[in-house]
Amino acid sequence: MALLEVKNLTKMFGGLRAVGNVTFHVNEGEIVGLIGPNGSGKTTIFNCINQYYTLTSGDIFFEGKSLKGLKTHVICHMGIGRTFQVVKPLSRMTVLDNVTASAFCRVGSIKEAQGEALRILEFSDLMDQKDKLAKSLPIGKRKRLEIARALATKPKLILLDETAAGLTPSELDAAIELIKKMRDSGITVLIVEHIMKVIMSISDRIHAINFGQTIAEGTPHEVANNPAVIEAYLGEAYAQC
Amino acid sequence: MEKKHIPYIILGLLAVAFPFLVTSDYYLHLVIITLMWVVIGSAWNLLAGYTGQVSFGHAMFFGIGAYTAGIFVTKLEISAWWGMAFGGIVAMLIGLFVGWVCFRLRGPYFALATLAGGEIFRLIATNWESLTDGMVGILTIQTFRSKLPYYYMALALAFMCIVVIHLIMKSKWGYYFVSIREDQDAAESLGINTTLYKNISLLVSSFFTGMAGAFYMNYMGFIDPHVVFSLHYISIMAILVGIVGGVATIMGPAVGAFIMVGLQETFRSAFFGLAPSWTSEAHALVFGLLVIFVILFLPNGVVGDWLKIKRNVFRVRASSERY
């Protein structure tokens, strides 16, 4: 049984069909990439998975249980962590407090939460930033803080929404390392990414969408050579060559 | 014992000894009212400063607390001291209802909803004459003629309020409240039940504000809707106490209460009788100017920007010595 199953997911905003009939699954231990041009509905799918949006139709199952109608915080407790594309740091809290607040998701006492937060900061290489206010971090570190915060909730599945966008080449390599490290520690990853270097090098499988519809799925190699994907990214003229 | 605790211990001893150092009933009265404002300001600060849910209607809880204590005495003939505990509890129940309705809204919309809530309760208290005697108000006989017991009661209430809020802010709840203030969507996705924790913050806040209201009833012996449900003298004053002292600081509202009650009294008494031609309404103007000043120069309040104040004051001194 797949860890996450998205079945015929449809999300309408009034008359606009942002996501239409998308079906895919994520197996335990995998890194699955979700790609598509701007506005193709990737973030909407994430927002549907953690029920920030209510689904128009279709259903989403996590470990066999339907997520439909649950509250966002309940989904986090079930074991789905997420990061935001437009980072949402808790600005006037220190980096350590940001992660501690998330760690309370699993532990009750402040001592345990802080211990867990320190462990996560070590894991995600943010230890030297721990006493800085979140708002003082540069974008690369903020993206990392997003990941650290999601990790502190001890997720089984983590949804990464363009965590590599806006990073310098060296930060990019570090981000790839971090994602691999997460997978190795037993966390399943569903990742939205535009940077092909990241998505092609780490994904086990890729699901490509455009205009809210599935256009291709398969291994990175298969998807990269799929005419529909090339057309979506580069235009019709390139699809024929 | 650590060094940093010493100022607090001295402050505590001074507070306990105060009635014996200053025997004037007038000044004792001012300090009692100030301590009451410490409670209201701290309670407001928990909800608005720490949790980020700005309330423009704390008079609602203050008034409910005061009327609960008053009605206990006049209608049920139950001692007003029981009323004090129940004042807090009834205010909390109203808080539960207010939270259920108003927390569907965010930011300025929530603030406006609480503003309306405060006015609604003022109108209810004015018009439900069979229960509240309307504009006639409620008059009771005070238990003590001396101000001394009231002083210690107010002191105990203020101390309890500050300690409880301090403990809350050191706990999981504290982390959750501040997370909600910083970003509600992020907080929700980190597994924080934002609706629940906003309500908890509101309940604690309304409980202490209600207690303060019930204390006011016991102490003053007279309330009417325009005093205890006043937008101007209670709701806005609570905000001023918080902002001037310093939002999201433990001691901010305490300092703010002393500044604001001091200022208010200075104007009410027309500079202690020295400038009788200054009408007491001038205080509204000065409060307005004060808020502009604080927002421009001390956005974190007197306590939050204390280092800034110290630095600037010393710089002024240094330069004046030079010339």
Side-chain angles (χ1 to χ4, degrees), chain B residues 12-48:
Chain B
L13 289 177
L14 266 181
V16 171
F18 180 78
F20 303 101
L21 301 173
V22 179
T23 44
S24 150
D25 265 5
Y26 173 65
Y27 288 108
L28 204 54
H29 167 75
L30 281 187
V31 176
I32 292 172
I33 293 296
T34 305
L35 288 170
M36 184 188 86
W37 276 106
V38 172
V39 177
I40 303 167
S42 300
W44 179 84
N45 184 40
L46 180 71
L47 182 66

Side-chain angles (χ1 to χ4, degrees), chain A residues 50 52 71-73 76-77 82 84 88 90-93 97 100-102 104-105 108 110 114 149 153, chain B residues 106 170-172 174-176 178-183 185-195 300:
Chain A
N50 84 340
Y52 184 70
K71 293 262 193 264
T72 302
H73 63 89
C76 177
H77 277 272
R82 81 164 289 184
F84 289 93
K88 293 173 181 286
L90 306 173
S91 313
R92 286 173 289 177
M93 290 165 87
D97 285 351
T100 308
S102 331
F104 277 121
C105 181
I110 193 152
Q114 250 164 9
R149 242 173 24 184
T153 66
Chain B
R106 286 189 186 187
K170 288 275 166 223
S171 74
K172 170 176 162 178
Y175 278 88
Y176 277 14
V178 178
S179 303
I180 290 168
R181 177 189 74 195
E182 290 302 318
D183 195 313
D185 292 332
E188 184 77 22
S189 80
L190 297 175
I192 300 170
N193 185 345
T194 51
T195 313
N300 300 313

Side-chain angles (χ1 to χ4, degrees), chain A residues 131-203:
Chain A
D131 295 322
K132 288 192 185 158
L133 286 184
K135 66 176 172 188
S136 71
L137 297 183
I139 185 70
K141 297 273 191 284
R142 284 189 196 199
K143 295 256 178 188
R144 204 155 258 259
L145 176 60
E146 284 279 321
I147 298 178
R149 242 173 24 184
L151 286 176
T153 66
K154 292 211 174 132
K156 292 174 194 144
L157 170 70
I158 191 164
L159 312 176
L160 300 177
D161 198 349
E162 297 203 22
T163 43
L167 301 188
T168 64
S170 65
E171 284 174 330
L172 213 55
D173 290 334
I176 293 173
E177 277 315 301
L178 180 61
I179 295 168
K180 283 183 177 162
K181 229 162 78 177
M182 274 169 7
R183 192 245 331 254
D184 295 341
S185 71
I187 299 169
T188 308
V189 180
L190 177 59
I191 179 170
V192 161
E193 198 50 80
H194 273 308
I195 301 174
M196 288 303 139
K197 182 185 172 190
V198 176
I199 203 107
M200 289 301 161
S201 63
I202 59 174
S203 304

Side-chain angles (χ1 to χ4, degrees), chain A:
Chain A
M1 184 186 66
L3 185 65
L4 181 80
E5 274 186 279
V6 175
K7 278 189 181 159
N8 304 323
L9 173 65
T10 301
K11 174 66 191 173
M12 310 276 292
F13 292 109
L16 176 80
R17 183 195 284 252
V19 177
N21 236 347
V22 168
T23 300
F24 66 95
H25 68 274
V26 180
N27 293 322
E28 207 166 339
E30 267 185 327
I31 297 180
V32 174
L34 193 58
I35 62 168
N38 290 326
S40 59
K42 304 178 298 291
T43 301
T44 307
I45 290 179
F46 272 19
N47 282 336
C48 286
I49 292 174
N50 84 340
Q51 298 290 314
Y52 184 70
Y53 293 152
T54 49
L55 313 183
T56 306
S57 69
D59 208 341
I60 299 171
F61 296 93
F62 182 68
E63 295 184 311
K65 289 188 283 281
S66 170
L67 301 181
K68 209 169 174 175
L70 295 178
K71 293 262 193 264
T72 302
H73 63 89
V74 176
I75 286 170
C76 177
H77 277 272
M78 287 172 76
I80 302 182
R82 81 164 289 184
T83 70
F84 289 93
Q85 177 182 9
V86 180
V87 290
K88 293 173 181 286
L90 306 173
S91 313
R92 286 173 289 177
M93 290 165 87
T94 64
V95 169
L96 177 62
D97 285 351
N98 261 269
V99 183
T100 308
S102 331
F104 277 121
C105 181
R106 300 285 172 214
V107 298
S109 85
I110 193 152
K111 219 171 179 175
E112 286 172 282
Q114 250 164 9
E116 176 66 21
L118 288 171
R119 206 181 60 75
I120 297 287
L121 287 179
E122 187 72 63
F123 183 84
S124 51
D125 199 20
L126 277 170
M127 210 51 171
D128 49 337
Q129 313 285 329
K130 76 178 165 74
D131 295 322
K132 288 192 185 158
L133 286 184
K135 66 176 172 188
S136 71
L137 297 183
I139 185 70
K141 297 273 191 284
R142 284 189 196 199
K143 295 256 178 188
R144 204 155 258 259
L145 176 60
E146 284 279 321
I147 298 178
R149 242 173 24 184
L151 286 176
T153 66
K154 292 211 174 132
K156 292 174 194 144
L157 170 70
I158 191 164
L159 312 176
L160 300 177
D161 198 349
E162 297 203 22
T163 43
L167 301 188
T168 64
S170 65
E171 284 174 330
L172 213 55
D173 290 334
I176 293 173
E177 277 315 301
L178 180 61
I179 295 168
K180 283 183 177 162
K181 229 162 78 177
M182 274 169 7
R183 192 245 331 254
D184 295 341
S185 71
I187 299 169
T188 308
V189 180
L190 177 59
I191 179 170
V192 161
E193 198 50 80
H194 273 308
I195 301 174
M196 288 303 139
K197 182 185 172 190
V198 176
I199 203 107
M200 289 301 161
S201 63
I202 59 174
S203 304
D204 297 314
R205 286 189 299 120
I206 288 180
H207 192 92
I209 58 172
N210 195 15
F211 300 115
Q213 313 264 347
T214 301
I215 52 174
E217 54 187 323
T219 64
H221 184 74
E222 283 166 17
V223 170
N225 294 315
N226 185 305
V229 175
I230 296 169
E231 186 192 323
Y233 273 91
L234 299 173
E236 216 171 322
Y238 287 89
Q240 277 121 31
C241 13

